Amino acid sequence: MVLAMLEGTVALVTGASSGIGEATALRLAELGASVALVARRRDRIEDLAGRIGDRALAIEADVSLKVQAQRAVEQTVSELGRLDTLVNNAGVMLLGPVQDAPLEEWERMLAVNVAGLLYCAHAALPHLLGAAQDGPRQVADMVNISSVAGRVARLGSGVYNLTKHGVGAFSESLRQEVGGRHVRVSLVEPGAVETELRSHNRPEVQEQIAQRFGDIEHLQAPDIADAIAYIVTRPRHVAVNELLVRPTEQQG
Ligand SMILES: NC(=O)c1ccc[n+]([C@@H]2O[C@H](COP(=O)([O-])OP(=O)(O)OC[C@H]3O[C@@H](n4cnc5c(N)ncnc54)[C@H](OP(=O)(O)O)[C@@H]3O)[C@@H](O)[C@H]2O)c1
C-alpha cells in the first residue's frame, strides 16, 4: 500500500521550518516515516511537529555549526532509533554582482549550503550505511537539494552557483562511493519555487529576481516534496541520481 511505503523508517530533514523542507517533512510523514525536523526557528518546527503528531521530533540546530549538525543527527538516532533518509535541504540564496558584494553574504552561503550539508552528510553516513544493511527496506537515501543554479551559472549568482555546483560534484562522488552498499545519493535541482528563499536578499536584488521571473507560475514547495518522495520510495535496485524540476514556463 502506497501510503505506508516508509513505515518503520526515520528521516531527518534540514531546513524543515519553511518552504521545501517543511513540505518534504509532511510528505515523508504521510508516507509513514518518523521525521526529525531540523532548523533554527524553534517555534516553526515545533508547530510542524504538532501538526505531524508523535512521529515527529523538533530539533533546533544551526547546521553551519559542526557540533550542532552532529548533535542533530545523534539526537535523531537516539530518540527515533535509526536513520534511513537524510534530506539535506537547508540553504540560503543571496544574489547580486560579485563586485562590492557584502562578504558576509558569501560567508553565510558557504557556511550553510556547503559546510552545513557536509557536516550533516558526514555525521549521517554511518547510520545510513547501517540502515541499508539491516533496515526495513535494505536501502537508505541521502537527498541533496541543489538548484538549476547548480547546473547553469548566471551573471549575478556567482557564489550561489559555486555552492550548488559543489553540492552536485560532492553528491556524484559520494554516490559512486556508497551505492554498492545500497545508500543512494540523489540530487534534486528545483527551478523557481514560491518560498521565503529570495526574501533574505537586499531590496534591489529582490527587484532583479522579480524581473527575471516576471509573472510565470512558480512551483510550490509540495511539487518538490513530491519529487523527493518519488526518489526515496523507489525499489532497492532503482536509484534516481538526479532530478531537474522547473516551472513549465521557466526558460533558463
Ligand atoms: N525556492 C527556490 O526557488 C529554490 C530553487 C532551487 C533550490 N532551492 C533550494 O531549496 C532549499 C530550501 O529552500 P526554500 O526555497 O524552501 O527556502 P526557505 O523557505 O527559505 O527555507 C530555507 C530553510 O533553510 C533553513 N536554514 C537556513 N539556514 C540554516 C542554518 N544555518 N541551519 C539550519 N537551517 C537553516 C531555514 O530555517 P531557519 O531559518 O529556521 O533556520 C529554512 O527552513 C535551499 O537549499 C535552496 O537553495 C530553492
Side-chain angles (χ1 to χ4, degrees):
M1 141 117 174
V2 173
L3 268 180
M5 281 182 92
L6 299 181
E7 201 74 57
T9 71
V10 173
L12 186 164
V13 181
T14 69
S17 58
S18 61
I20 294 168
E22 177 181 359
T24 300
L26 280 165
R27 189 83 182 90
L28 298 182
E30 276 169 18
L31 288 164
S34 297
V35 279
L37 314 167
V38 176
R40 292 166 304 172
R41 286 173 291 177
R42 169 169 286 283
D43 55 333
R44 300 277 289 253
I45 49 176
E46 280 181 347
D47 174 77
L48 178 59
R51 282 184 276 145
I52 291 174
D54 57 10
R55 281 186 295 104
L57 173 68
I59 302 176
E60 180 183 340
D62 179 340
V63 296
S64 71
L65 301 174
K66 184 169 55 184
V67 173
Q68 292 194 22
Q70 290 168 340
R71 204 199 54 214
V73 170
E74 294 316 318
Q75 195 182 336
T76 301
V77 174
S78 65
E79 294 195 30
L80 297 178
R82 49 184 304 106
L83 182 60
D84 302 86
T85 308
L86 170 65
V87 182
N88 258 322
N89 163 77
V92 283
M93 177 191 77
L94 302 168
L95 305 182
V98 167
Q99 187 178 2
D100 297 330
L103 286 175
E104 186 270 342
E105 292 189 347
W106 294 2
E107 287 160 359
R108 274 174 63 198
M109 284 191 285
L110 290 167
V112 182
N113 303 3
V114 179
L117 181 140
L118 293 178
Y119 295 148
C120 292
H122 185 267
L125 197 54
H127 302 292
L128 297 178
L129 286 163
Q133 215 171 6
D134 56 27
R137 304 183 67 233
Q138 299 274 289
V139 68
D141 286 284
M142 182 187 301
V143 182
N144 293 333
I145 308 303
S146 175
S147 169
V148 167
R151 283 234 189 169
V152 190
R154 288 177 61 89
L155 190 158
S157 312
V159 179
Y160 186 62
N161 286 142
L162 180 155
T163 65
K164 293 301 190 182
H165 276 72
V167 169
F170 172 72
S171 302
E172 172 56 16
S173 175
L174 183 58
R175 181 190 72 76
Q176 294 174 29
E177 182 177 330
V178 297
R181 286 175 279 167
H182 292 97
V183 175
R184 302 182 292 206
V185 180
S186 308
L187 191 67
V188 175
E189 298 158 311
V193 188
E194 198 176 301
T195 68
E196 297 174 11
L197 191 70
R198 50 170 94 163
S199 69
H200 306 294
N201 283 279
R202 288 167 275 141
E204 66 275 20
V205 176
Q206 289 194 47
E207 180 58 34
Q208 285 158 7
I209 298 171
Q211 274 171 15
R212 176 184 165 201
F213 290 108
D215 56 4
I216 70 163
E217 184 178 352
H218 282 53
L219 297 171
Q220 298 299 315
D223 297 324
I224 301 303
D226 279 349
I228 295 166
Y230 177 78
I231 289 171
V232 303
T233 52
R234 290 313 86 205
R236 184 176 187 248
H237 67 288
V238 179
V240 181
N241 301 150
E242 193 171 356
L243 267 182
L244 175 64
V245 186
R246 284 190 179 90
T248 306
E249 297 172 273
Q250 182 176 336
Q251 289 179 348

